[in-house]
Amino acid sequence: MEAPAEYIFASLLMLGPLAAIAIWSDLREMLIRNWLTGSFAMIATILSAALLEWPEVAYRLAFALFVMVSVYFAFALGRMGGGDAKLLGAVAISLGLWGFLEYLFILALCTLVVLLLHRVVGRFVRPRDPEEKWASFHRMKHFPFGVTIGLSYLGYMISLSLDTL
C-alpha cells in the first residue's frame, strides 16, 4: 500500500526532527536514548493508526517486530548498538514492509558515504576545546550507525514528499 500524502508530510514533520536529534546524539555521544526511539515509535504508531487503514497498521506493527527480532542478533553479536536497533524498528513502523525495503537501499548507500566521510573527518578534525568531546570521532573502531539511519530516513521521506507534489 502506498502511503497517502498527508501521512508522508505528517511523518516528515513529526518524525523528521526526531531523526535529526538521533543523528546529532549519535555523532556527539555515540548514544541514541530510549526516550528518542520510544517517541519515534509511538508517534509513528499514532500516525499510522490515524491516517492509514487498520490492516496496514497491523502489518506495520508485525513487520516492526520482525525487524526488531532480526536486528537483535546484530546487537547481541556486538555489531550494532541497542539504540540503532530500536531506531530501525521504529523506522519500520513508519515505513512498512515495501517502504522499508526501498529505505534499505538508501541506507546502504548512505552508510558507505557516511563511513568514508566520518573516517576522513575523524583523522583531520580535532575539537578546538579539549573539553569538547565528540565520542564518535574518539572511538575510531566504532561507527555511529544512527547517523546513517536518521539521514536515510530523512532523505527517503523528503523524496516521497517531493513525489507527491
Side-chain angles (χ1 to χ4, degrees):
M1 172 185 167
E2 190 169 314
E6 52 273 355
Y7 178 81
I8 293 168
F9 288 114
S11 295
L12 189 55
L13 180 68
M14 298 177 93
L15 298 175
L18 293 175
I21 293 169
I23 293 166
W24 179 264
S25 174
D26 209 23
L27 265 178
R28 180 93 174 153
E29 303 172 17
M30 290 290 292
L31 180 68
I32 301 173
R33 302 200 183 275
N34 288 337
W35 70 264
L36 183 66
T37 56
S39 298
F40 197 106
M42 183 178 64
I43 292 169
T45 302
I46 291 169
L47 286 174
S48 296
L51 299 171
L52 301 175
E53 296 175 14
W54 280 102
E56 178 67 19
V57 176
Y59 292 140
R60 284 174 185 247
L61 294 174
F63 177 66
L65 180 62
F66 170 77
V67 169
M68 288 294 297
V69 169
S70 299
V71 296
Y72 172 77
F73 293 109
F75 168 70
L77 294 172
R79 298 291 177 205
M80 177 185 290
D84 301 331
K86 290 179 273 189
L87 188 58
L88 273 176
V91 166
I93 296 170
S94 176
L95 300 180
L97 172 62
W98 300 113
F100 193 79
L101 292 176
E102 291 175 351
Y103 165 81
L104 286 179
F105 178 73
I106 296 169
L107 180 65
L109 292 176
C110 188
T111 299
L112 292 174
V113 171
V114 170
L115 179 64
L116 178 66
L117 287 173
H118 185 262
R119 295 301 188 237
V120 169
V121 169
R123 292 214 184 269
F124 296 109
V125 175
R126 297 287 179 231
R128 287 174 270 146
D129 182 1
E131 295 298 316
E132 185 180 341
K133 300 272 187 210
W134 286 81
S136 67
F137 294 113
H138 293 285
R139 297 189 216 161
M140 290 308 288
K141 294 193 184 227
H142 294 88
F143 177 67
F145 191 49
V147 172
T148 61
I149 295 169
L151 283 175
S152 300
Y153 181 79
L154 288 172
Y156 182 71
M157 293 307 287
I158 289 170
S159 72
L160 285 180
S161 67
L162 292 175
D163 287 344
T164 61
L165 296 178

